[in-house]
Amino acid sequence: MELLPLDASHDALLQSLQVQEDVWEFLGPLPEPGAGGTDRLFVVVEGRVPLGIGGLVRSQAFDGKDFEVLCAMRSEAQRRGLAKRACELILTWAFETAKVERVIACIDDHNDGARSIATKIGMKELCALPPRRTVYVKYRDERTSTRA
């Protein structure tokens, strides 16, 4: 699995994710290729097959001072551990290449899959965020093996 830069050639993938109920319900609209900040967004591929998108987006929490991990996988790629692996790659990129100090994830309290992934990749619960969301965090100096 690898991360490739997101660009306009991935429009069909973005459109297919937009209509996926779980993506719309928990993430809302996805960023447009070429929009500001898409240099921190990637296509998640295995071999040559695009599985989803992931990366960092400016968070709406805490006055927009943090980057939040984003990962949206196609339905057929879910429940196989691929989102966890993609999130690990995103965190590695965030800490080693982008040199961010911390990454957060604002997860809906009903999104058990995302909460499980956050825990498995070493994110810790930081605080509750109304309405019905929990903020998870991982700091650059906490990088350790996230095998689970």
Side-chain angles (χ1 to χ4, degrees):
M1 176 180 292
E2 65 181 318
L3 304 174
L4 300 176
L6 179 70
D7 61 35
S9 71
H10 303 109
D11 189 51
L13 172 63
L14 283 171
Q15 287 179 10
S16 71
L17 289 169
Q18 267 311 105
V19 298
Q20 222 174 266
E21 186 175 326
D22 60 332
V23 172
W24 183 255
E25 178 183 1
F26 292 121
L27 296 179
L30 296 172
E32 297 283 328
T38 56
D39 57 332
R40 296 179 184 267
L41 293 176
F42 305 95
V43 176
V44 178
V45 296
E46 188 172 54
R48 299 181 69 106
V49 179
L51 302 174
I53 67 162
L56 299 179
V57 294
R58 185 68 67 179
S59 180
Q60 300 297 311
F62 311 129
D63 300 322
K65 295 178 181 174
D66 287 287
F67 284 103
E68 188 169 342
V69 65
L70 167 94
C71 186
M73 303 296 278
R74 297 173 89 163
S75 295
E76 59 270 19
Q78 294 179 2
R79 302 190 197 330
R80 299 188 314 182
L82 299 173
K84 175 186 170 274
R85 180 67 186 125
C87 288
E88 290 172 332
L89 291 172
I90 293 162
L91 287 179
T92 297
W93 180 87
F95 295 133
E96 293 179 6
T97 303
K99 305 288 188 206
V100 298
E101 289 302 314
R102 75 179 194 172
V103 174
I104 66 171
C106 299
I107 302 173
D108 186 286
D109 290 341
H110 294 39
N111 191 342
D112 294 331
R115 290 163 28 107
S116 174
I117 291 169
T119 301
K120 287 178 182 177
I121 63 173
M123 297 187 92
K124 306 247 185 309
E125 202 172 304
L126 181 64
C127 65
L129 190 68
R132 302 177 320 272
R133 295 176 78 76
T134 302
V135 179
Y136 291 80
V137 65
K138 185 162 187 172
Y139 293 89
R140 181 172 17 163
D141 60 0
E142 293 176 340
R143 288 180 298 159
T144 59
S145 175
T146 56
R147 305 243 190 268

